[in-house]
Protein backbone atom coordinates (compact mmCIF):
# COMPACT_ATOMS: atom_id res chain seq x y z
CA UNK A 1 0.00 0.00 0.00
CA UNK A 2 1.52 3.37 -0.92
CA UNK A 3 2.28 5.44 2.16
CA UNK A 4 1.01 8.62 0.52
CA UNK A 5 -2.61 8.14 1.57
CA UNK A 6 -3.81 11.18 3.47
CA UNK A 7 -5.76 10.60 6.69
CA UNK A 8 -7.33 14.05 6.42
CA UNK A 9 -10.87 13.81 5.06
CA UNK A 10 -11.01 14.65 1.37
CA UNK A 11 -13.58 17.32 2.17
CA UNK A 12 -11.01 19.31 4.16
CA UNK A 13 -8.48 19.28 1.36
CA UNK A 14 -9.46 22.46 -0.42
CA UNK A 15 -11.06 24.51 2.32
CA UNK A 16 -9.46 26.99 4.61
CA UNK A 17 -10.19 25.83 8.15
CA UNK A 18 -10.11 28.64 10.72
CA UNK A 19 -6.83 28.89 12.65
CA UNK A 20 -6.88 27.56 16.24
CA UNK A 21 -8.35 30.09 18.64
CA UNK A 22 -5.92 31.77 20.99
CA UNK A 23 -8.04 34.35 22.82
CA UNK A 24 -8.58 33.99 26.56
CA UNK A 25 -11.93 32.51 27.49
CA UNK A 26 -14.60 34.59 29.20
CA UNK A 27 -15.05 33.83 32.92
CA UNK A 28 -18.84 33.90 32.73
CA UNK A 29 -21.32 33.11 29.98
CA UNK A 30 -25.01 32.44 29.85
CA UNK A 31 -24.62 29.31 27.75
CA UNK A 32 -21.69 26.93 27.44
CA UNK A 33 -21.86 24.41 24.60
CA UNK A 34 -19.47 21.45 24.72
CA UNK A 35 -18.76 20.21 21.18
CA UNK A 36 -18.46 22.31 18.02
CA UNK A 37 -20.09 20.00 15.48
CA UNK A 38 -23.43 20.48 13.71
CA UNK A 39 -25.35 20.01 16.99
CA UNK A 40 -23.37 22.43 19.12
CA UNK A 41 -23.10 25.15 16.48
CA UNK A 42 -26.79 24.93 15.62
CA UNK A 43 -27.78 25.26 19.28
CA UNK A 44 -25.30 28.10 19.81
CA UNK A 45 -26.76 30.03 16.94
CA UNK A 46 -30.18 29.98 18.59
CA UNK A 47 -29.03 31.00 22.06
CA UNK A 48 -26.65 33.69 20.77
CA UNK A 49 -29.23 35.13 18.39
CA UNK A 50 -31.59 35.48 21.38
CA UNK A 51 -28.98 37.61 23.16
CA UNK A 52 -27.54 34.97 25.50
CA UNK A 53 -23.76 35.15 25.74
CA UNK A 54 -22.73 31.81 24.27
CA UNK A 55 -19.39 30.01 24.23
CA UNK A 56 -18.76 26.81 22.24
CA UNK A 57 -15.72 24.74 23.22
CA UNK A 58 -14.27 21.82 21.33
CA UNK A 59 -11.60 19.44 22.52
CA UNK A 60 -9.95 19.18 19.13
CA UNK A 61 -9.40 21.40 16.12
CA UNK A 62 -12.57 22.62 14.56
CA UNK A 63 -13.88 19.66 12.56
CA UNK A 64 -12.31 17.06 14.87
CA UNK A 65 -15.66 15.29 15.21
CA UNK A 66 -17.92 13.66 12.65
CA UNK A 67 -19.27 16.88 11.24
CA UNK A 68 -16.30 17.50 8.96
CA UNK A 69 -15.73 13.91 7.92
CA UNK A 70 -19.03 12.20 7.17
CA UNK A 71 -20.40 10.94 3.87
CA UNK A 72 -22.59 14.01 3.31
CA UNK A 73 -25.62 11.83 2.53
CA UNK A 74 -28.90 13.49 3.42
CA UNK A 75 -31.73 11.04 3.95
CA UNK A 76 -34.78 10.48 6.08
CA UNK A 77 -32.98 9.33 9.20
CA UNK A 78 -35.29 7.95 11.88
CA UNK A 79 -34.06 4.37 12.09
CA UNK A 80 -37.00 2.51 13.70
CA UNK A 81 -39.88 1.90 11.30
CA UNK A 82 -43.21 3.63 11.81
CA UNK A 83 -44.79 0.28 12.71
CA UNK A 84 -42.20 -0.54 15.35
CA UNK A 85 -42.59 2.94 16.86
CA UNK A 86 -46.37 2.56 16.75
CA UNK A 87 -46.17 -0.72 18.66
CA UNK A 88 -44.05 0.97 21.31
CA UNK A 89 -45.49 4.47 21.59
CA UNK A 90 -48.86 4.42 19.83
CA UNK A 91 -49.93 5.86 16.50
CA UNK A 92 -49.78 9.57 17.31
CA UNK A 93 -46.31 9.72 18.86
CA UNK A 94 -44.92 7.31 16.26
CA UNK A 95 -46.18 9.62 13.54
CA UNK A 96 -44.69 12.68 15.18
CA UNK A 97 -41.31 11.00 15.69
CA UNK A 98 -41.19 10.06 12.01
CA UNK A 99 -42.19 13.60 11.04
CA UNK A 100 -39.09 14.88 12.84
CA UNK A 101 -37.02 12.95 10.27
CA UNK A 102 -38.78 14.65 7.37
CA UNK A 103 -38.64 18.07 9.06
CA UNK A 104 -34.89 17.63 9.56
CA UNK A 105 -34.40 17.18 5.82
CA UNK A 106 -36.56 20.19 5.00
CA UNK A 107 -34.65 22.35 7.47
CA UNK A 108 -31.25 21.29 6.15
CA UNK A 109 -32.34 21.89 2.57
CA UNK A 110 -33.40 25.42 3.47
CA UNK A 111 -30.13 26.06 5.34
CA UNK A 112 -27.96 24.69 2.55
CA UNK A 113 -29.72 26.78 -0.05
CA UNK A 114 -29.31 30.08 1.79
CA UNK A 115 -26.06 32.00 1.75
CA UNK A 116 -23.13 29.63 1.65
CA UNK A 117 -22.35 27.11 -1.07
CA UNK A 118 -22.40 23.79 0.78
CA UNK A 119 -22.14 21.62 -2.31
CA UNK A 120 -25.82 20.69 -2.03
CA UNK A 121 -27.07 18.30 -4.74
CA UNK A 122 -30.63 17.08 -5.12
CA UNK A 123 -29.64 13.85 -6.84
CA UNK A 124 -31.47 11.33 -4.65
CA UNK A 125 -30.26 7.98 -3.42
CA UNK A 126 -30.27 4.45 -4.85
CA UNK A 127 -30.94 1.84 -2.15
CA UNK A 128 -29.58 -1.45 -3.50
CA UNK A 129 -31.21 -4.76 -2.52
CA UNK A 130 -28.69 -7.28 -1.29
CA UNK A 131 -31.02 -10.25 -1.90
CA UNK A 132 -34.13 -10.93 -3.96
CA UNK A 133 -36.08 -11.09 -0.68
CA UNK A 134 -34.84 -7.65 0.31
CA UNK A 135 -35.95 -6.33 -3.07
CA UNK A 136 -39.47 -7.71 -2.63
CA UNK A 137 -39.67 -6.19 0.84
CA UNK A 138 -38.44 -2.82 -0.44
CA UNK A 139 -41.03 -2.82 -3.20
CA UNK A 140 -43.79 -3.63 -0.66
CA UNK A 141 -42.58 -0.88 1.70
CA UNK A 142 -42.54 1.64 -1.16
CA UNK A 143 -46.14 0.71 -1.98
CA UNK A 144 -47.36 0.89 1.61
CA UNK A 145 -45.88 4.07 3.03
CA UNK A 146 -47.69 5.43 6.09
CA UNK A 147 -50.05 8.25 5.16
CA UNK A 148 -48.54 11.67 5.83
CA UNK A 149 -44.99 10.26 5.83
CA UNK A 150 -44.70 9.52 2.13
CA UNK A 151 -41.41 9.97 0.34
CA UNK A 152 -41.03 9.94 -3.41
CA UNK A 153 -39.72 6.44 -4.15
CA UNK A 154 -39.35 4.53 -7.43
CA UNK A 155 -38.78 0.80 -7.56
CA UNK A 156 -35.94 -0.23 -9.89
CA UNK A 157 -36.01 -3.90 -10.97
CA UNK A 158 -32.72 -5.66 -11.44
CA UNK A 159 -33.06 -5.56 -15.22
CA UNK A 160 -33.07 -1.74 -15.08
CA UNK A 161 -30.48 -1.25 -12.40
CA UNK A 162 -27.71 -0.25 -14.81
CA UNK A 163 -29.51 3.05 -15.18
CA UNK A 164 -28.45 3.68 -11.57
CA UNK A 165 -25.21 1.79 -11.14
CA UNK A 166 -22.77 0.02 -13.45
CA UNK A 167 -22.83 -3.13 -11.33
CA UNK A 168 -24.67 -6.44 -11.10
CA UNK A 169 -24.08 -6.64 -7.38
CA UNK A 170 -27.67 -5.82 -6.40
CA UNK A 171 -31.04 -7.49 -6.95
CA UNK A 172 -32.61 -4.21 -7.98
CA UNK A 173 -33.45 -1.48 -5.50
CA UNK A 174 -35.32 1.73 -4.91
CA UNK A 175 -34.59 5.36 -5.68
CA UNK A 176 -35.34 7.87 -2.93
CA UNK A 177 -35.81 11.01 -4.96
CA UNK A 178 -35.94 13.46 -2.03
CA UNK A 179 -32.51 12.48 -0.72
CA UNK A 180 -29.61 14.82 -1.34
CA UNK A 181 -25.93 15.23 -0.73
CA UNK A 182 -23.84 17.97 0.79
CA UNK A 183 -20.18 18.72 1.33
CA UNK A 184 -19.94 18.05 5.08
CA UNK A 185 -17.04 20.36 5.85
CA UNK A 186 -18.57 23.26 3.95
CA UNK A 187 -21.79 22.67 5.88
CA UNK A 188 -19.84 22.78 9.13
CA UNK A 189 -18.18 26.06 8.14
CA UNK A 190 -21.54 27.51 7.17
CA UNK A 191 -23.00 26.60 10.59
CA UNK A 192 -19.90 28.07 12.23
CA UNK A 193 -20.35 31.33 10.36
CA UNK A 194 -24.02 31.51 11.33
CA UNK A 195 -23.27 30.84 15.00
CA UNK A 196 -20.49 33.43 15.06
CA UNK A 197 -22.53 36.04 13.22
CA UNK A 198 -25.25 35.57 15.82
CA UNK A 199 -22.66 36.43 18.47
CA UNK A 200 -21.46 33.01 19.69
CA UNK A 201 -17.77 32.59 20.51
CA UNK A 202 -16.15 29.34 19.42
CA UNK A 203 -12.85 28.07 20.80
CA UNK A 204 -11.16 24.86 19.72
CA UNK A 205 -8.34 22.79 21.30
CA UNK A 206 -10.04 23.35 24.63
CA UNK A 207 -11.43 20.16 26.21
CA UNK A 208 -13.86 20.49 29.08
CA UNK A 209 -12.61 18.03 31.67
CA UNK A 210 -15.20 18.50 34.42
CA UNK A 211 -18.53 20.22 34.98
CA UNK A 212 -19.78 20.97 38.46
CA UNK A 213 -23.12 22.28 39.53
CA UNK A 214 -22.90 25.43 41.65
CA UNK A 215 -26.54 25.72 42.54
CA UNK A 216 -27.43 28.63 40.27
CA UNK A 217 -25.33 27.33 37.36
CA UNK A 218 -22.24 25.37 36.48
CA UNK A 219 -18.47 25.61 36.51
CA UNK A 220 -16.59 24.00 33.65
CA UNK A 221 -12.93 23.14 33.99
CA UNK A 222 -10.75 23.69 30.92
CA UNK A 223 -6.99 24.01 30.33
CA UNK A 224 -7.59 27.73 29.82
CA UNK A 225 -9.33 28.21 33.13
CA UNK A 226 -12.75 27.84 34.69
CA UNK A 227 -15.81 29.02 32.80
CA UNK A 228 -19.01 29.69 34.74
CA UNK A 229 -22.24 29.23 32.84
CA UNK A 230 -25.91 29.48 33.67
CA UNK A 231 -26.70 26.67 31.23
CA UNK A 232 -24.59 23.89 29.68
CA UNK A 233 -25.26 21.77 26.62
CA UNK A 234 -23.42 18.53 25.90
CA UNK A 235 -23.18 18.17 22.13
CA UNK A 236 -20.46 15.53 22.13
CA UNK A 237 -22.26 12.68 20.32
CA UNK A 238 -19.86 9.80 19.46
CA UNK A 239 -17.04 11.61 21.25
CA UNK A 240 -18.82 11.61 24.62
CA UNK A 241 -16.04 10.61 26.98
CA UNK A 242 -15.50 10.52 30.74
CA UNK A 243 -16.85 14.07 31.14
CA UNK A 244 -20.34 12.67 31.75
CA UNK A 245 -20.48 8.96 32.67
CA UNK A 246 -24.31 9.05 32.51
CA UNK A 247 -24.23 10.00 28.82
CA UNK A 248 -21.31 7.74 28.09
CA UNK A 249 -23.40 4.80 29.28
CA UNK A 250 -26.08 5.70 26.75
CA UNK A 251 -24.18 6.23 23.49
CA UNK A 252 -22.22 3.56 21.67
CA UNK A 253 -19.29 5.04 19.76
CA UNK A 254 -18.75 3.17 16.50
CA UNK A 255 -16.02 3.92 14.00
CA UNK A 256 -17.14 4.59 10.46
CA UNK A 257 -14.41 4.51 7.82
CA UNK A 258 -14.20 6.13 4.42
CA UNK A 259 -11.84 6.18 1.47
CA UNK A 260 -11.65 8.45 -1.54
CA UNK A 261 -10.28 7.21 -4.83
CA UNK A 262 -7.79 9.23 -6.80
CA UNK A 263 -9.51 11.53 -9.34
CA UNK A 264 -11.04 9.18 -11.93
CA UNK A 265 -12.47 11.86 -14.18
CA UNK A 266 -16.09 12.95 -14.30
CA UNK A 267 -16.89 10.69 -17.26
CA UNK A 268 -15.65 7.57 -15.53
CA UNK A 269 -17.55 8.41 -12.36
CA UNK A 270 -20.70 9.09 -14.38
CA UNK A 271 -20.26 5.74 -16.10
CA UNK A 272 -20.24 4.06 -12.66
CA UNK A 273 -23.10 6.05 -11.08
CA UNK A 274 -24.95 7.53 -14.07
CA UNK A 275 -27.33 9.75 -12.10
CA UNK A 276 -24.75 10.87 -9.58
CA UNK A 277 -26.83 9.60 -6.66
CA UNK A 278 -25.81 8.50 -3.19
CA UNK A 279 -25.83 4.72 -2.87
CA UNK A 280 -26.50 2.59 0.19
CA UNK A 281 -27.56 -1.01 0.40
CA UNK A 282 -29.68 -3.35 2.47
CA UNK A 283 -26.89 -5.31 4.13
CA UNK A 284 -26.68 -5.38 7.94
CA UNK A 285 -23.09 -4.10 7.76
CA UNK A 286 -23.94 -1.02 5.80
CA UNK A 287 -21.84 0.49 3.04
CA UNK A 288 -22.47 3.93 1.60
CA UNK A 289 -20.85 5.65 -1.36
CA UNK A 290 -21.29 8.52 -3.76
CA UNK A 291 -19.43 10.69 -6.22
CA UNK A 292 -17.32 13.40 -4.60
CA UNK A 293 -18.79 16.91 -4.65
CA UNK A 294 -16.75 17.72 -7.79
CA UNK A 295 -17.88 14.47 -9.43
CA UNK A 296 -14.29 13.33 -10.04
CA UNK A 297 -13.93 10.55 -7.47
CA UNK A 298 -15.82 7.86 -5.62
CA UNK A 299 -16.08 8.20 -1.86
CA UNK A 300 -16.77 4.85 -0.26
CA UNK A 301 -17.51 4.15 3.40
CA UNK A 302 -18.64 1.58 5.87
CA UNK A 303 -17.85 -0.45 8.90
CA UNK A 304 -14.52 -1.91 7.78
CA UNK A 305 -13.24 -3.50 10.98
CA UNK A 306 -14.47 -5.78 13.75
CA UNK A 307 -12.63 -3.71 16.36
CA UNK A 308 -11.53 -0.12 15.89
CA UNK A 309 -8.48 0.41 13.74
CA UNK A 310 -6.27 3.00 12.22
CA UNK A 311 -8.03 4.26 9.06
CA UNK A 312 -5.02 3.26 6.94
CA UNK A 313 -5.31 -0.32 8.21
CA UNK A 314 -8.90 -0.38 6.89
CA UNK A 315 -7.97 0.66 3.36
CA UNK A 316 -7.46 -2.89 2.00
CA UNK A 317 -10.84 -4.06 3.31
CA UNK A 318 -12.70 -0.99 2.03
CA UNK A 319 -11.03 -1.38 -1.37
CA UNK A 320 -12.10 -5.01 -1.43
CA UNK A 321 -15.68 -4.07 -0.47
CA UNK A 322 -15.72 -1.44 -3.21
CA UNK A 323 -14.25 -3.84 -5.81
CA UNK A 324 -16.97 -6.42 -5.07
CA UNK A 325 -19.48 -3.84 -6.25
CA UNK A 326 -17.31 -2.22 -8.91
CA UNK A 327 -14.76 -4.77 -10.21
CA UNK A 328 -13.77 -1.92 -12.59
CA UNK A 329 -12.13 -0.18 -9.60
CA UNK A 330 -10.07 -3.15 -8.44
CA UNK A 331 -6.73 -1.51 -9.04
CA UNK A 332 -7.64 2.10 -8.54
CA UNK A 333 -5.46 4.18 -6.21
CA UNK A 334 -6.86 5.42 -2.92
CA UNK A 335 -5.77 8.95 -2.03
CA UNK A 336 -7.54 9.55 1.32
CA UNK A 337 -8.71 7.37 4.20
CA UNK A 338 -10.30 8.61 7.40
CA UNK A 339 -12.44 7.62 10.33
CA UNK A 340 -14.95 9.23 12.68
CA UNK A 341 -17.05 8.08 15.65
CA UNK A 342 -20.77 7.91 15.21
CA UNK A 343 -23.06 7.52 18.24
CA UNK A 344 -25.54 4.66 18.30
CA UNK A 345 -28.15 4.38 21.01
CA UNK A 346 -29.78 1.28 22.44
CA UNK A 347 -33.18 2.15 20.99
CA UNK A 348 -31.67 3.58 17.75
CA UNK A 349 -33.39 6.94 18.36
CA UNK A 350 -31.66 10.29 18.91
CA UNK A 351 -32.11 11.76 22.38
CA UNK A 352 -32.31 15.29 23.68
CA UNK A 353 -33.30 16.75 27.00
CA UNK A 354 -31.81 17.51 30.38
CA UNK A 355 -30.10 15.36 32.99
CA UNK A 356 -28.93 16.74 36.35
CA UNK A 357 -29.64 20.19 34.94
CA UNK A 358 -27.30 19.73 31.95
CA UNK A 359 -28.86 19.80 28.49
CA UNK A 360 -27.84 17.18 25.94
CA UNK A 361 -28.57 16.31 22.32
CA UNK A 362 -26.97 13.26 20.70
CA UNK A 363 -27.31 9.72 19.37
CA UNK A 364 -28.05 10.08 15.66
CA UNK A 365 -26.97 6.51 14.86
CA UNK A 366 -24.74 7.55 11.97
CA UNK A 367 -27.36 9.80 10.37
CA UNK A 368 -26.78 13.18 11.91
CA UNK A 369 -26.23 15.19 8.74
CA UNK A 370 -29.89 16.21 8.69
CA UNK A 371 -30.70 15.28 12.32
CA UNK A 372 -27.93 17.15 14.16
CA UNK A 373 -28.68 20.64 12.75
CA UNK A 374 -32.41 20.06 13.32
CA UNK A 375 -32.23 18.76 16.89
CA UNK A 376 -29.34 21.12 17.70
CA UNK A 377 -31.62 24.01 16.79
CA UNK A 378 -34.45 22.52 18.85
CA UNK A 379 -32.33 22.02 21.98
CA UNK A 380 -31.08 25.61 21.64
CA UNK A 381 -34.70 26.74 21.56
CA UNK A 382 -35.49 24.57 24.58
CA UNK A 383 -32.65 26.26 26.46
CA UNK A 384 -34.41 29.53 25.73
CA UNK A 385 -37.70 28.15 27.00
CA UNK A 386 -39.32 28.47 23.57
CA UNK A 387 -42.39 26.49 22.63
CA UNK A 388 -41.04 25.77 19.11
CA UNK A 389 -38.13 23.89 20.68
CA UNK A 390 -40.44 21.03 21.63
CA UNK A 391 -39.93 17.75 19.78
CA UNK A 392 -41.62 14.39 19.60
CA UNK A 393 -38.61 12.86 21.34
CA UNK A 394 -38.89 14.98 24.48
CA UNK A 395 -39.22 12.96 27.64
CA UNK A 396 -38.46 9.58 26.08
CA UNK A 397 -36.28 7.42 28.32
CA UNK A 398 -32.64 7.37 27.20
CA UNK A 399 -31.81 3.70 27.71
CA UNK A 400 -28.54 2.11 28.77
CA UNK A 401 -27.66 -1.53 29.43
CA UNK A 402 -26.21 -3.31 32.44
CA UNK A 403 -22.41 -3.61 32.32
CA UNK A 404 -22.13 -0.98 29.61
CA UNK A 405 -19.88 1.94 30.55
CA UNK A 406 -18.88 3.34 27.18
CA UNK A 407 -16.69 0.60 25.75
CA UNK A 408 -18.76 -1.46 23.32
CA UNK A 409 -17.35 -4.93 24.05
CA UNK A 410 -20.28 -6.42 22.14
CA UNK A 411 -19.43 -4.64 18.89
CA UNK A 412 -16.94 -7.13 17.40
CA UNK A 413 -19.20 -10.19 17.92
CA UNK A 414 -22.20 -8.25 16.57
CA UNK A 415 -20.40 -7.10 13.44
CA UNK A 416 -19.08 -10.63 12.95
CA UNK A 417 -22.60 -12.07 13.22
CA UNK A 418 -24.01 -9.41 10.87
CA UNK A 419 -21.30 -10.15 8.31
CA UNK A 420 -22.27 -13.82 8.45
CA UNK A 421 -25.94 -12.99 7.93
CA UNK A 422 -24.99 -10.75 4.98
CA UNK A 423 -22.80 -13.48 3.50
CA UNK A 424 -25.59 -16.07 3.79
CA UNK A 425 -27.91 -13.55 2.18
CA UNK A 426 -30.78 -13.52 4.68
C1 LIG B 1 -17.27 8.39 8.33
C2 LIG B 1 -18.63 8.94 8.68
C3 LIG B 1 -19.61 9.01 7.71
C4 LIG B 1 -20.88 9.52 8.03
N1 LIG B 1 -21.77 9.68 7.02
C5 LIG B 1 -22.97 10.23 7.27
C6 LIG B 1 -23.87 10.47 6.21
O1 LIG B 1 -23.55 10.25 5.05
N2 LIG B 1 -25.10 10.97 6.52
C7 LIG B 1 -25.46 11.26 7.81
O2 LIG B 1 -26.60 11.69 8.04
N3 LIG B 1 -24.58 11.11 8.83
C8 LIG B 1 -23.34 10.61 8.61
N4 LIG B 1 -22.44 10.47 9.62
C9 LIG B 1 -22.83 10.90 10.98
C10 LIG B 1 -22.78 12.43 11.18
O3 LIG B 1 -21.56 12.93 10.70
C11 LIG B 1 -22.93 12.75 12.68
O4 LIG B 1 -24.14 12.17 13.14
C12 LIG B 1 -23.00 14.25 12.96
O5 LIG B 1 -21.92 14.92 12.36
C13 LIG B 1 -22.98 14.48 14.47
O6 LIG B 1 -22.76 15.85 14.73
P1 LIG B 1 -22.48 16.33 16.22
O7 LIG B 1 -22.30 17.79 16.18
O8 LIG B 1 -23.56 15.82 17.12
O9 LIG B 1 -21.17 15.57 16.66
P2 LIG B 1 -19.65 15.74 16.18
O10 LIG B 1 -19.56 16.46 14.89
O11 LIG B 1 -19.02 14.40 16.26
O12 LIG B 1 -19.03 16.71 17.27
C14 LIG B 1 -18.83 16.32 18.61
C15 LIG B 1 -17.67 17.16 19.13
O13 LIG B 1 -17.60 17.07 20.56
C16 LIG B 1 -16.26 17.33 20.89
N5 LIG B 1 -16.04 16.94 22.29
C17 LIG B 1 -16.20 15.72 22.85
N6 LIG B 1 -15.88 15.76 24.16
C18 LIG B 1 -15.53 17.03 24.44
C19 LIG B 1 -15.09 17.70 25.63
N7 LIG B 1 -14.98 17.06 26.80
N8 LIG B 1 -14.78 19.01 25.56
C20 LIG B 1 -14.91 19.68 24.38
N9 LIG B 1 -15.31 19.09 23.22
C21 LIG B 1 -15.62 17.78 23.26
C22 LIG B 1 -15.48 16.52 19.89
O14 LIG B 1 -14.14 16.96 19.77
C23 LIG B 1 -16.30 16.72 18.62
O15 LIG B 1 -15.75 17.73 17.78
C24 LIG B 1 -21.17 9.94 9.36
C25 LIG B 1 -20.17 9.88 10.33
C26 LIG B 1 -18.92 9.39 10.00
C27 LIG B 1 -17.85 9.33 11.04
Amino acid sequence: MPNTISVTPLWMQNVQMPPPSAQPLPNHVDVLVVGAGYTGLSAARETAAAGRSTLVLDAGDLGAGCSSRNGGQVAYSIKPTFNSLKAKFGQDLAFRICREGLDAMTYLRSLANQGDDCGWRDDGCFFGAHTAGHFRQMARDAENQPRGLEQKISVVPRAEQHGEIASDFYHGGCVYHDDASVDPTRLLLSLLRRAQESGARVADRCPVSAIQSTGGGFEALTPRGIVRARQVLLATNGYSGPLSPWHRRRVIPIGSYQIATEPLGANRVRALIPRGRNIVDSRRVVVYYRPSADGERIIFGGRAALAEKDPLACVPRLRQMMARIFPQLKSVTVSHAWVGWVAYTFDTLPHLGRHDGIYYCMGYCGQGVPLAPHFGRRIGQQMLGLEEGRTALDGLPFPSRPYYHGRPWFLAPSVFAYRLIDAIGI
Side-chain angles (χ1 to χ4, degrees), residues 38-40 42-43 67 73-80 97-109 111 187 191 237 343 345 348-352 361-379 391 393:
Y38 299 152
T39 304
S42 303
S67 298
Q73 300 204 6
V74 181
Y76 168 80
S77 298
I78 300 293
K79 278 210 179 283
I97 292 174
C98 294
R99 281 290 333 165
E100 297 280 356
L102 295 175
D103 293 349
M105 287 175 75
T106 306
Y107 176 58
L108 186 61
R109 178 173 270 109
L111 270 184
L187 175 63
L191 296 177
N237 206 45
T345 57
T348 66
L349 283 171
H351 287 274
L352 69 167
C361 184
M362 57 184 66
Y364 311 110
C365 302
Q367 300 198 283
V369 173
L371 294 181
H374 170 69
F375 286 117
R377 174 168 77 137
R378 292 298 183 224
I379 198 73
T391 79
L393 295 163

Side-chain angles (χ1 to χ4, degrees), residues 25-104:
L25 300 182
N27 296 325
H28 289 89
V29 287
D30 292 323
V31 175
L32 172 66
V33 177
V34 186
Y38 299 152
T39 304
L41 294 173
S42 303
R45 182 196 186 198
E46 296 300 314
T47 55
R52 304 272 172 96
S53 58
T54 300
L55 174 67
V56 187
L57 295 180
D58 201 285
D61 289 325
L62 190 86
C66 285
S67 298
S68 63
R69 59 191 57 242
N70 58 68
Q73 300 204 6
V74 181
Y76 168 80
S77 298
I78 300 293
K79 278 210 179 283
T81 61
F82 171 72
N83 284 334
S84 68
L85 291 170
K86 188 169 124 185
K88 202 166 165 188
F89 301 119
Q91 165 106 11
D92 176 57
L93 184 53
F95 181 82
R96 289 190 295 113
I97 292 174
C98 294
R99 281 290 333 165
E100 297 280 356
L102 295 175
D103 293 349

Side-chain angles (χ1 to χ4, degrees), residues 236-278:
T236 47
N237 206 45
Y239 296 76
S240 301
L243 177 62
S244 172
W246 189 85
H247 293 91
R248 204 182 186 192
R249 291 202 59 216
R250 283 160 175 79
V251 292
I252 309 159
I254 300 185
S256 192
Y257 299 80
Q258 284 190 105
I259 52 174
T261 65
E262 63 182 333
L264 304 173
N267 290 341
R268 196 165 168 208
V269 172
R270 275 269 153 191
L272 294 168
I273 306 178
R275 294 193 166 87
R277 303 195 203 278
N278 304 328

Side-chain angles (χ1 to χ4, degrees), residues 165-177:
I165 179 168
S167 171
D168 295 319
F169 188 73
Y170 298 118
H171 292 253
C174 280
V175 171
Y176 284 72
H177 293 276

Side-chain angles (χ1 to χ4, degrees), residues 21-356:
S21 60
Q23 285 177 330
L25 300 182
N27 296 325
H28 289 89
V29 287
D30 292 323
V31 175
L32 172 66
V33 177
V34 186
Y38 299 152
T39 304
L41 294 173
S42 303
R45 182 196 186 198
E46 296 300 314
T47 55
R52 304 272 172 96
S53 58
T54 300
L55 174 67
V56 187
L57 295 180
D58 201 285
D61 289 325
L62 190 86
C66 285
S67 298
S68 63
R69 59 191 57 242
N70 58 68
Q73 300 204 6
V74 181
Y76 168 80
S77 298
I78 300 293
K79 278 210 179 283
T81 61
F82 171 72
N83 284 334
S84 68
L85 291 170
K86 188 169 124 185
K88 202 166 165 188
F89 301 119
Q91 165 106 11
D92 176 57
L93 184 53
F95 181 82
R96 289 190 295 113
I97 292 174
C98 294
R99 281 290 333 165
E100 297 280 356
L102 295 175
D103 293 349
M105 287 175 75
T106 306
Y107 176 58
L108 186 61
R109 178 173 270 109
S110 74
L111 270 184
N113 288 318
Q114 285 164 26
D116 304 308
D117 175 5
C118 299
W120 183 269
R121 292 167 66 145
D122 275 304
D123 287 330
C125 177
F126 176 69
F127 183 28
H130 183 52
T131 67
H134 290 184
F135 176 70
R136 286 191 294 274
Q137 184 63 48
M138 277 181 192
R140 275 195 297 273
D141 291 347
E143 271 295 299
N144 300 307
Q145 296 189 65
R147 188 171 300 177
L149 298 172
E150 293 91 348
Q151 299 176 69
K152 194 171 169 223
I153 305 175
S154 324
V155 176
V156 181
R158 194 173 201 177
E160 293 167 24
Q161 139 182 322
H162 277 237
E164 297 295 336
I165 179 168
S167 171
D168 295 319
F169 188 73
Y170 298 118
H171 292 253
C174 280
V175 171
Y176 284 72
H177 293 276
D178 301 328
D179 286 13
S181 59
V182 71
D183 179 321
T185 301
R186 273 149 66 185
L187 175 63
L188 180 74
L189 293 177
S190 174
L191 296 177
L192 172 71
R193 179 188 64 74
R194 287 162 203 262
Q196 288 177 324
E197 284 180 6
S198 299
R201 277 193 54 189
V202 181
D204 57 0
R205 299 191 184 178
C206 192
V208 176
S209 55
I211 301 171
Q212 280 196 341
S213 170
T214 56
F218 298 90
E219 278 185 357
L221 187 62
T222 83
R224 296 196 223 165
I226 289 176
V227 179
R228 293 181 180 80
R230 279 202 307 116
Q231 294 177 307
V232 174
L233 168 65
L234 284 187
T236 47
N237 206 45
Y239 296 76
S240 301
L243 177 62
S244 172
W246 189 85
H247 293 91
R248 204 182 186 192
R249 291 202 59 216
R250 283 160 175 79
V251 292
I252 309 159
I254 300 185
S256 192
Y257 299 80
Q258 284 190 105
I259 52 174
T261 65
E262 63 182 333
L264 304 173
N267 290 341
R268 196 165 168 208
V269 172
R270 275 269 153 191
L272 294 168
I273 306 178
R275 294 193 166 87
R277 303 195 203 278
N278 304 328
I279 303 191
V280 291
D281 69 35
S282 63
R283 278 178 285 182
R284 303 299 199 288
V285 184
V286 176
V287 299
Y288 50 94
Y289 46 105
R290 54 170 282 195
S292 55
D294 63 7
E296 295 279 331
R297 308 167 188 250
I298 298 288
I299 298 181
F300 189 94
R303 173 78 201 164
L306 287 182
E308 303 311 349
K309 276 198 171 155
D310 180 276
L312 291 177
C314 290
V315 171
R317 184 163 184 97
L318 282 172
R319 282 175 59 108
Q320 195 189 35
M321 288 156 81
M322 182 169 70
R324 280 190 70 203
I325 298 166
F326 292 125
Q328 310 90 310
L329 297 184
K330 197 167 163 225
S331 35
V332 84
T333 302
V334 165
S335 60
H336 297 69
W338 65 97
V339 62
W341 308 98
V342 303
Y344 265 69
T345 57
F346 287 101
D347 59 3
T348 66
L349 283 171
H351 287 274
L352 69 167
R354 210 169 167 189
H355 175 74
D356 282 349

